[in-house]
Amino acid sequence: MQQKIGRFIDPLSDFGFKRLFGSEPHKDILIDFLNQLFLGQKEIADLTYSPTEYAGDTDKIKKVFFDLHCTGKNGEKFIIEMQKAEQRNFKDRAVFYTSRLINEQLPKGESHWNIQLDELYLIAILEFKFNNGNPDRYLHNVALTNTDTHEIFYNKLGYKFLELPNFVKTEKELETDLDRWFYLLKNMSHLEKIPAVLNKRIFQQVFKIAELSNLTKEEKAMYDSSLKAKWDYENSIAFAAELAEERGIEKGIEKGKYDVAIEMKKEGIPNTQIAKFTKLSIEIVEKL
């Protein structure tokens, strides 16, 4: 796969995502993004960034790491995740993440149930298509509903999945600010100039922060490293798919090994153990 560094940082790289959405001085960017996602449902006036690492009550309970975690002015909690490739238990992980923050709200040793939970939402930005999904839908709003009446059963827990590959609108077809956010996320790293349709203060701010020439030497090095990791992953997946096709193997099998290895690396598991578990070579694991 051929890739090149453009004028603006890639918002789907780890560095780019955190720079645009995870910076306290520029939190109005994340606020606007969330308000467009929740338009007509709720309005976020302010937010604070919260810890992204949560350990269990005991050593036996799995520690979780969020990409971003923030709390709204009214106490509502938002988990924002980026997911490059589909994993077998991705939906289970999404539910597990929210359950961890629900558990965090319960007072230790409380014997009577007399607590009201804060609103909790998980937003996942996906660079893949759901298996057996609807190719015409790029935003999925998920909530606890009554399957008979289709009414919301519980309105304080929700999931929003942004399926970027399904968003295919051109500049001329963008109608709402949410459309513009989708377009920016998917295309910003390929743009050489700011589209007129994104001539709005919040988007102008995004492009200014994302301008590669505005990075310090240290930031540029961090971005290069983040981008290399993203490209290595994409190339590894492409190579695995080609190899699987040549060997007549189902593509998902090889791809799944890479997904598992990447998640294991995030958890800090040694490369030798990852290689042993996934049957990938140590050289490939070290490059992921």
Side-chain angles (χ1 to χ4, degrees), residues 44-281:
I44 297 96
D46 195 13
L47 57 80
T48 56
Y49 288 94
S50 306
T52 56
E53 178 181 335
Y54 282 84
D57 295 333
T58 68
D59 292 340
K60 294 183 179 179
I61 298 179
K62 181 179 176 62
K63 182 184 295 185
V64 298
F65 299 88
F66 307 136
D67 288 337
L68 279 181
H69 172 212
C70 54
T71 303
K73 188 175 182 179
N74 297 320
E76 62 270 63
K77 301 181 185 302
F78 303 94
I79 302 169
I80 301 98
E81 287 286 305
M82 269 203 326
Q83 187 69 30
K84 292 180 175 61
E86 187 169 20
Q87 297 173 343
R88 183 175 299 173
N89 300 316
F90 170 68
K91 294 177 183 177
D92 299 79
R93 182 163 65 104
V95 173
F96 177 74
Y97 276 8
T98 53
S99 69
R100 177 56 58 85
L101 287 191
I102 291 173
N103 183 67
E104 289 288 326
Q105 298 180 49
L106 303 179
K108 300 295 186 292
E110 185 69 47
S111 59
H112 297 286
W113 183 265
N114 59 357
I115 183 174
Q116 284 194 349
L117 298 175
D118 294 323
E119 295 177 39
L120 174 58
Y121 304 95
L122 183 141
I123 297 99
I125 301 172
L126 312 177
E127 292 188 67
F128 62 88
K129 293 186 177 186
F130 280 129
N131 281 334
N132 303 317
N134 185 339
D136 297 325
R137 298 199 64 84
Y138 49 83
L139 176 60
H140 305 272
N141 290 298
V142 180
L144 289 175
T145 62
N146 183 314
T147 57
D148 295 322
T149 65
H150 302 292
E151 296 177 344
I152 299 295
F153 170 75
Y154 185 73
N155 63 0
K156 293 165 69 175
L157 175 66
Y159 303 83
K160 292 182 183 291
F161 300 101
L162 286 64
E163 204 170 347
L164 290 184
N166 285 349
F167 184 82
V168 294
K169 289 186 178 182
T170 64
E171 287 183 37
K172 294 180 180 180
E173 294 173 319
L174 304 181
E175 298 176 354
T176 66
D177 278 350
L178 184 57
D179 281 349
R180 296 179 179 92
W181 270 113
F182 267 92
Y183 184 84
L184 182 146
L185 287 171
K186 189 171 181 179
N187 297 289
M188 187 170 74
S189 64
H190 310 301
L191 298 174
E192 291 304 324
K193 63 179 181 178
I194 304 174
V197 72
L198 298 181
N199 188 21
K200 184 181 177 182
R201 186 198 65 82
I202 195 68
F203 297 120
Q204 293 289 335
Q205 183 181 354
V206 170
F207 279 106
K208 183 177 180 180
I209 296 171
E211 185 91 43
L212 203 62
S213 61
N214 288 335
L215 299 182
T216 65
K217 184 178 180 180
E218 291 75 17
E219 289 170 340
K220 179 64 165 55
M222 292 171 62
Y223 175 58
D224 288 344
S225 177
S226 176
L227 201 59
K228 182 180 182 301
K230 184 175 186 290
W231 288 352
D232 284 348
Y233 172 81
E234 292 172 349
N235 287 329
S236 296
I237 292 299
F239 175 74
E242 291 173 5
L243 188 62
E245 189 171 5
E246 289 176 2
R247 296 177 179 178
I249 304 172
E250 185 181 347
K251 292 182 181 180
I253 296 176
E254 283 296 321
K255 178 177 174 294
K257 291 183 179 181
Y258 286 93
D259 293 340
V260 171
I262 288 170
E263 290 304 312
M264 292 176 74
K265 292 196 75 167
K266 287 181 180 178
E267 298 294 333
I269 298 173
N271 290 340
T272 52
Q273 291 186 29
I274 297 174
K276 181 179 180 181
F277 179 82
T278 62
K279 308 302 181 185
L280 294 171
S281 70

Side-chain angles (χ1 to χ4, degrees), residues 7-30:
R7 175 182 172 184
F8 304 104
I9 62 176
D10 185 348
L12 302 179
S13 66
D14 290 337
F15 175 89
F17 180 73
K18 297 288 176 58
R19 181 173 176 82
L20 294 180
F21 294 111
S23 172
E24 181 74 30
H26 305 301
K27 64 181 179 181
D28 52 326
I29 293 175
L30 180 56

